[in-house]
Amino acid sequence: MLFDFTYYNPTKIYFGKNSLDNLSGELANYGKNVLLVYGKASVKKNGIYDKVMTVLESAGKNVTELSGIKSNPTYTQMLEGARLVRENDIDLILAVGGGSVIDCSKGISAAAYCEGDPWEKYWINEEPVTHKVVPVGSVLTMAGTGSEMNGGSVITNEEKMLKKGRVFGTNLYPKFSVLNPEFTYTVPKYQMASGIFDIFSHLMEQYFSGEDDNTSDYLIEGVMESLVNSARTAMKDPQNYEARSNIMWCATVALNTITGVSKSQDWEVHMIEHQVGAYTDCAHGAGLAVVSVPYYKYIYKYGLDRFVRFAKKIWEVDISSMSKEDAALAGIDALAEFIKEIELPSTLRELGTTEEMLPKIANSTALGGGYKQLSVKDVLEILKTAY
Amino acid sequence: MLFDFTYYNPTKIYFGKNSLDNLSGELANYGKNVLLVYGKASVKKNGIYDKVMTVLESAGKNVTELSGIKSNPTYTQMLEGARLVRENDIDLILAVGGGSVIDCSKGISAAAYCEGDPWEKYWINEEPVTHKVVPVGSVLTMAGTGSEMNGGSVITNEEKMLKKGRVFGTNLYPKFSVLNPEFTYTVPKYQMASGIFDIFSHLMEQYFSGEDDNTSDYLIEGVMESLVNSARTAMKDPQNYEARSNIMWCATVALNTITGVSKSQDWEVHMIEHQVGAYTDCAHGAGLAVVSVPYYKYIYKYGLDRFVRFAKKIWEVDISSMSKEDAALAGIDALAEFIKEIELPSTLRELGTTEEMLPKIANSTALGGGYKQLSVKDVLEILKTAY
């Protein structure tokens, strides 16, 4: 059943090979002072930094730079960005990178004019941001998180050993995002696969929740099918534009909230992974891949029909002569097979987790769940199976 | 392949049983003078008019009314609305009704401060609207056109015997739309079915076009499946909230442009139906139902693989032992069967078309096409088969 919801997503997307051509027009909407946020050396090596800088210079902008944003962006980096915003009277934060860089940029925007402790207010207490924020725009270089068209901001507080996501309101959505699939070509294969699984996990987190049949379920299945299809092509031929453009757009659609309306959703795989990530700094999608199969094997009995539907519709398992139980498990096995196919790990050990970390991870995981509400003990069981 | 596109849809949707509760908050964003646009007596009979008026009065608005908007809204009515906007210095146009009322309200907004002839400028020459427009909001009472979340405005110019659609830019999208599925319960069954087929046709117009496999195709299939499923339930049990809410949301998603990005699209069935509508004033969806099967039988050979996919994925035709030709035709037959199932007509005669009208309809139809570019002769052939 479709329960009451509000849907509003005012981010403007420019998609395609020539999408960067729209940047100068967008820049005209903002003042002179731009904070350029990016990650490691890769955007300099692949030429994207130079392309963006050329546009910024032609537009006569004063550019302040914040570089070195980590794949799990840290609270310290975020506070440093907030300081730069204040000191340079920044008019626009331009994120050039993947979800980490965009997540960090939203955090910078929220923190810059915050009175009090942003971590407590915005990540722990999840207060709405009502003071002045600085507009964020993005040039995306990696497909996965969907941060280019939503309010999500996952930040790692190193001091507290906590990786915590916050979904901000539309005032912190990127005003615009430039999505050129060719900009993702230089992403290493492992990172590409990690992004693909991040997208797939976003879809599963929405799909595996308790409502009856609704339109969102069908939309999710559509995106899942398209993603699996294009992932297979991209693994064989990473520079296949059709596949890479579909993957990029799947990432956006999977988490711009259109597929999730009126779904209570789960997100426990993400909660567990966040703490695996806090302890190991692993690639987010790889962490999700490791956690997913043990998690779904642990909870599938509580949402049996939906797991049967998953097997039939997404993996085309011939379930005609199977029990529901077997059909559901066959679907999860097909998921495990897909993880192998895109060459991601299947154990926590491969991510650098040690046995001593397991209880610490379990104890610090935010408890929730979809078909089944989890306890610390449940999480520990799942981690042990995943180990 | 995903070719370059811009995606931007800033309409805010309030969906669900309690969605009207959000109206007063929205009204606070606009000035005192409201033009209330609605159709026939039905919104007065079913109490929606009273509910909306109560909110408007509590908000202290000065309400000017424009009622009697026809199911094919006329250019004359639209100009009358534009006059009311100017004379009453209207701050917000509130459309309460189905797509006709919302389409007309956008037209009123575009025409109100237009210098020159709005028909020539905006419907014939499709110029962008760059002067002042009056914000439009909507309370939807019928699912079908998707006008609640896009820039579409189909107006019938009675003098010229032309029914013509125009897709305006985002400045004429509704700022907000209130979608309460229960508000559609009093729609007569025939109108409900007509709306359902309108939605399905929007999806087919996007789906049956020449591109390779892309994410949009999968999204369209998802919405099609959900719609067919819920349509079957709603035909048996029109007050089934789950079915009616899915249908209402399918209508919005089917034409809020998310399913159509990077698709060249077809829309020739709509072009033909528009002229059938101009001559017969038939229900839009019923006209589409009559035109669709003959149209697709006329063009399927030019997009054979897509019609095979349609048969397999939407209608679950077992195509394993069929030729592509037979599989494609089986899909179109399944579509014809669905039209019967939702009790819509299958001949132009049933809509009141006479034989003498056929060449006039063909001659006045805008020529385009998806897999095949049509000539007047082609359109006439299709009309004869549909007759």
Side-chain angles (χ1 to χ4, degrees):
Chain A
M1 196 173 96
L2 285 168
F3 52 76
D4 291 23
F5 65 84
T6 299
Y7 179 79
Y8 177 48
N9 192 326
T11 299
K12 191 167 194 172
I13 298 289
Y14 296 108
F15 191 100
K17 291 185 183 184
N18 304 305
S19 51
L20 194 66
D21 294 352
N22 299 288
L23 180 58
S24 68
E26 279 296 329
L27 291 177
N29 299 326
Y30 304 94
K32 282 187 87 68
N33 301 326
V34 175
L35 178 67
L36 184 68
V37 184
Y38 57 98
K40 291 167 295 181
S42 60
V43 293
K44 291 205 168 165
K45 259 191 271 169
N46 61 26
I48 297 170
Y49 172 88
D50 287 339
K51 284 180 187 157
V52 170
M53 273 307 251
T54 304
V55 181
L56 286 166
E57 279 163 12
S58 307
K61 301 291 183 185
N62 303 324
V63 180
T64 304
E65 300 192 27
L66 175 67
S67 66
I69 304 301
K70 295 184 184 168
S71 60
N72 287 311
T74 67
Y75 188 57
T76 308
Q77 292 184 308
M78 200 196 86
L79 291 181
E80 164 69 5
R83 188 183 59 78
L84 291 173
V85 164
R86 288 188 304 269
E87 285 179 8
N88 298 281
D89 195 17
I90 292 298
D91 299 302
L92 173 71
I93 302 171
L94 185 62
V96 178
S100 317
V101 174
I102 306 174
D103 280 23
C104 186
S105 297
K106 293 173 196 164
I108 291 169
S109 179
Y113 298 102
C114 169
E115 298 200 0
D117 179 3
W119 184 258
E120 280 302 313
K121 285 180 79 133
Y122 299 140
W123 278 265
I124 302 301
N125 300 330
E126 306 208 345
E127 293 177 25
V129 181
T130 53
H131 55 70
K132 174 186 170 186
V133 297
V134 181
V136 174
S138 87
V139 175
L140 191 64
T141 61
M142 188 175 159
T145 72
S147 187
E148 62 276 13
M149 200 178 179
N150 65 34
S153 175
V154 182
I155 301 293
T156 296
N157 190 318
E158 323 89 291
E159 201 187 305
K160 299 187 160 62
M161 280 301 268
L162 271 177
K163 177 175 171 181
K164 201 158 169 9
R166 162 70 202 267
V167 181
F168 287 115
T170 47
N171 60 336
L172 281 160
Y173 282 34
K175 298 293 175 204
F176 64 88
S177 287
V178 172
L179 276 61
N180 182 341
E182 290 181 340
F183 287 1
T184 68
Y185 282 179
T186 53
V187 172
K189 205 173 181 185
Y190 181 76
Q191 294 298 335
M192 175 186 83
S194 171
I196 289 168
F197 199 82
D198 191 19
I199 306 166
F200 201 77
S201 179
H202 295 158
L203 295 163
M204 290 193 293
E205 299 275 27
Q206 296 170 77
Y207 188 64
F208 292 120
S209 60
E211 295 74 30
D212 301 336
D213 194 48
N214 77 36
T215 301
S216 295
D217 296 317
Y218 292 89
L219 283 173
I220 294 168
E221 288 167 347
V223 187
M224 282 179 171
E225 285 181 59
S226 178
L227 179 66
V228 169
N229 192 32
S230 288
R232 285 174 173 153
T233 304
M235 287 304 290
K236 284 184 214 112
D237 176 13
Q239 304 228 344
N240 182 302
Y241 186 81
E242 183 173 61
R244 294 304 284 271
S245 60
N246 282 336
I247 291 167
M248 195 170 212
W249 187 231
C250 281
T252 307
V253 174
L255 212 51
N256 72 356
T257 78
I258 191 93
T259 58
V261 299
S262 200
K263 293 286 300 175
S264 57
Q265 313 190 17
D266 184 336
W267 296 99
E268 193 58 27
V269 172
H270 270 69
M271 293 306 104
I272 300 173
E273 192 288 327
H274 281 180
Q275 286 317 100
V276 174
Y279 278 82
T280 65
D281 202 32
C282 65
H284 176 53
L288 294 168
V290 168
V291 174
S292 291
V293 173
Y295 177 74
Y296 292 124
K297 285 202 171 165
Y298 196 81
I299 63 124
Y300 77 95
K301 285 183 188 171
Y302 304 89
L304 197 57
D305 287 341
R306 183 51 56 94
F307 281 91
V308 172
R309 179 170 162 172
F310 179 65
K312 180 172 181 260
K313 293 201 71 176
I314 307 307
W315 306 110
E316 297 183 359
V317 175
D318 179 3
I319 61 166
S320 52
S321 59
M322 286 184 184
S323 68
K324 279 190 180 183
E325 174 99 14
D326 287 347
L329 286 169
I332 303 173
D333 287 342
L335 172 65
E337 202 49 53
F338 177 67
I339 292 168
K340 269 191 210 156
E341 217 179 320
I342 60 173
E343 299 168 17
L344 289 179
S346 55
T347 64
L348 287 172
R349 240 172 302 198
E350 293 166 80
L351 300 176
T353 318
T354 63
E355 215 166 343
E356 303 81 71
M357 286 179 189
L358 301 186
K360 290 179 192 163
I361 294 171
N363 278 313
S364 57
T365 292
L367 298 173
Y371 290 120
K372 178 178 164 56
Q373 168 71 36
L374 293 200
S375 65
V376 174
K377 195 170 150 284
D378 293 324
V379 175
L380 190 58
E381 280 303 308
I382 292 162
L383 289 170
K384 282 179 180 166
T385 319
Y387 184 66
Chain B
M1 195 173 97
L2 285 169
F3 52 74
D4 291 23
F5 65 84
T6 299
Y7 178 80
Y8 176 50
N9 192 325
T11 299
K12 190 167 193 172
I13 298 289
Y14 297 108
F15 192 100
K17 291 184 183 185
N18 304 304
S19 51
L20 194 65
D21 294 351
N22 299 287
L23 181 58
S24 70
E26 279 297 329
L27 291 176
N29 298 325
Y30 305 94
K32 281 188 88 67
N33 302 324
V34 175
L35 178 67
L36 184 68
V37 184
Y38 57 98
K40 290 167 293 180
S42 60
V43 292
K44 291 206 170 166
K45 259 190 275 174
N46 61 26
I48 297 170
Y49 172 89
D50 286 339
K51 284 180 186 157
V52 170
M53 272 309 248
T54 304
V55 182
L56 286 166
E57 279 161 13
S58 308
K61 301 292 182 183
N62 303 323
V63 180
T64 305
E65 300 193 27
L66 175 67
S67 65
I69 303 301
K70 295 184 184 169
S71 60
N72 287 310
T74 67
Y75 188 56
T76 308
Q77 293 184 307
M78 198 195 87
L79 291 181
E80 166 68 5
R83 187 183 61 77
L84 292 172
V85 165
R86 287 189 305 268
E87 285 179 9
N88 298 283
D89 195 16
I90 293 297
D91 299 303
L92 172 72
I93 302 171
L94 185 63
V96 178
S100 316
V101 174
I102 307 173
D103 280 25
C104 187
S105 297
K106 293 172 196 165
I108 290 169
S109 178
Y113 298 102
C114 169
E115 298 200 359
D117 179 3
W119 184 259
E120 280 301 313
K121 284 179 79 134
Y122 298 140
W123 279 265
I124 302 300
N125 300 329
E126 306 208 344
E127 293 177 25
V129 181
T130 53
H131 55 69
K132 173 188 171 185
V133 297
V134 181
V136 173
S138 86
V139 177
L140 191 64
T141 62
M142 188 178 160
T145 71
S147 188
E148 63 275 13
M149 201 180 177
N150 65 35
S153 175
V154 182
I155 300 294
T156 297
N157 190 318
E158 325 88 291
E159 201 186 306
K160 297 187 161 65
M161 281 298 269
L162 271 176
K163 178 175 170 180
K164 203 160 168 5
R166 162 70 202 268
V167 182
F168 287 115
T170 47
N171 59 336
L172 281 159
Y173 281 35
K175 299 292 174 204
F176 63 88
S177 287
V178 172
L179 277 60
N180 182 342
E182 291 181 339
F183 286 1
T184 68
Y185 281 179
T186 53
V187 171
K189 204 172 183 187
Y190 180 76
Q191 294 298 334
M192 175 186 83
S194 170
I196 288 168
F197 199 82
D198 191 19
I199 306 166
F200 202 77
S201 179
H202 294 159
L203 295 164
M204 290 194 292
E205 299 276 27
Q206 296 170 76
Y207 188 64
F208 291 121
S209 60
E211 295 75 31
D212 302 336
D213 193 48
N214 77 37
T215 301
S216 294
D217 296 318
Y218 292 89
L219 282 173
I220 293 167
E221 287 166 347
V223 187
M224 282 180 171
E225 285 180 61
S226 178
L227 179 66
V228 168
N229 192 32
S230 288
R232 285 174 174 152
T233 304
M235 286 304 290
K236 283 184 215 112
D237 177 13
Q239 304 227 346
N240 182 302
Y241 186 80
E242 182 174 60
R244 294 304 284 271
S245 60
N246 282 336
I247 292 168
M248 195 170 212
W249 187 232
C250 280
T252 307
V253 174
L255 211 52
N256 73 355
T257 79
I258 192 93
T259 59
V261 300
S262 201
K263 294 286 301 177
S264 57
Q265 313 190 17
D266 184 335
W267 296 100
E268 193 57 27
V269 172
H270 271 69
M271 294 305 105
I272 300 173
E273 191 288 326
H274 280 180
Q275 285 318 100
V276 173
Y279 278 82
T280 65
D281 203 31
C282 65
H284 176 53
L288 294 168
V290 168
V291 174
S292 291
V293 173
Y295 176 74
Y296 292 124
K297 285 203 170 164
Y298 197 81
I299 62 124
Y300 77 95
K301 286 185 188 172
Y302 304 90
L304 196 57
D305 286 341
R306 181 54 54 97
F307 281 90
V308 172
R309 179 170 161 172
F310 179 65
K312 181 171 181 263
K313 292 201 71 177
I314 306 307
W315 306 110
E316 297 183 357
V317 175
D318 179 4
I319 61 166
S320 53
S321 59
M322 286 184 184
S323 68
K324 280 190 178 181
E325 175 98 13
D326 287 346
L329 285 169
I332 302 174
D333 286 342
L335 172 66
E337 202 49 53
F338 177 66
I339 291 169
K340 270 190 209 156
E341 215 177 322
I342 60 173
E343 300 168 18
L344 289 180
S346 56
T347 64
L348 286 173
R349 242 173 301 198
E350 292 166 78
L351 300 176
T353 319
T354 63
E355 215 167 343
E356 304 81 69
M357 285 179 189
L358 302 186
K360 290 178 191 162
I361 294 171
N363 277 312
S364 57
T365 292
L367 298 173
Y371 290 121
K372 178 178 163 58
Q373 167 71 36
L374 292 200
S375 65
V376 174
K377 196 170 150 285
D378 292 324
V379 175
L380 190 58
E381 279 303 309
I382 292 162
L383 289 170
K384 282 179 178 167
T385 318
Y387 184 65

